[in-house]
Amino acid sequence: MTLEVRDRHNEALFEFLWCPVCGQEIFTHIPFEGVFCKNCNTQVELQEPRETRGYEEAVLACFDTATTWNLHVEEKLRRDLPDGSARVKLFGAPDAYEVAWWSPEPGEDWKPVERGEFDDIEEPSEVSHLA
């Protein structure tokens, strides 16, 4: 019996992804634990979707806020996910990824933080040491 090993880490995909809770683009991998947003600790898990529609690559990125810290401290710098989780489907190839859809769909009640949306807002000193 042989064991087939696949490299599922895709550097280009993580360069495209951003956290829908805080808008940051830097993720940290903790072996045997998962991948987390370096800024707010939101967990991201990559899954293969059931269909690709002819694209070179299709990926589901599932975000979960069970491990996210301080959402209640400064809501202006973070936006919680509906029911604590959200998924985004990405199509494309390295350097040409595009968002196909979000689940739940963004609307009046929820929308993901855009990449770098809070970059120009200064976090109060009484909050920054907690995150």
Side-chain angles (χ1 to χ4, degrees):
M1 180 200 288
T2 62
L3 178 65
E4 183 179 345
V5 178
R6 293 186 181 188
D7 181 15
R8 296 196 183 273
H9 178 75
N10 183 330
E11 187 107 7
L13 180 62
F14 276 98
E15 287 178 11
F16 174 80
L17 275 180
W18 72 97
C19 178
V21 173
C22 68
Q24 297 299 312
E25 305 172 33
I26 301 173
F27 295 92
T28 301
H29 175 248
I30 301 172
F32 306 110
E33 293 294 326
V35 178
F36 301 86
C37 172
K38 191 168 183 173
N39 185 54
C40 71
N41 210 45
T42 296
Q43 186 172 11
V44 60
E45 179 181 293
L46 301 179
Q47 299 174 350
E48 294 179 15
R50 295 180 183 194
E51 47 84 24
T52 62
R53 293 189 190 195
Y55 284 87
E56 181 178 321
E57 191 170 320
V59 176
L60 283 178
C62 305
F63 295 91
D64 188 336
T65 58
T67 58
T68 303
W69 48 57
N70 298 326
L71 280 175
H72 64 284
V73 177
E74 183 59 62
E75 292 178 358
K76 293 178 185 170
L77 301 177
R78 295 173 184 89
R79 190 173 301 136
D80 199 6
L81 302 176
D83 297 324
S85 67
R87 297 182 308 158
V88 62
K89 186 171 188 177
L90 306 169
F91 281 138
D95 299 323
Y97 288 108
E98 60 184 68
V99 173
W101 51 256
W102 281 94
S103 175
E105 189 173 327
E108 290 181 23
D109 297 333
W110 174 79
K111 70 175 191 164
V113 174
E114 294 298 323
R115 182 187 321 267
E117 183 175 327
F118 298 136
D119 285 354
D120 59 345
I121 300 174
E122 191 77 22
E123 194 165 304
S125 60
E126 64 270 8
V127 173
S128 62
H129 75 280
L130 298 173

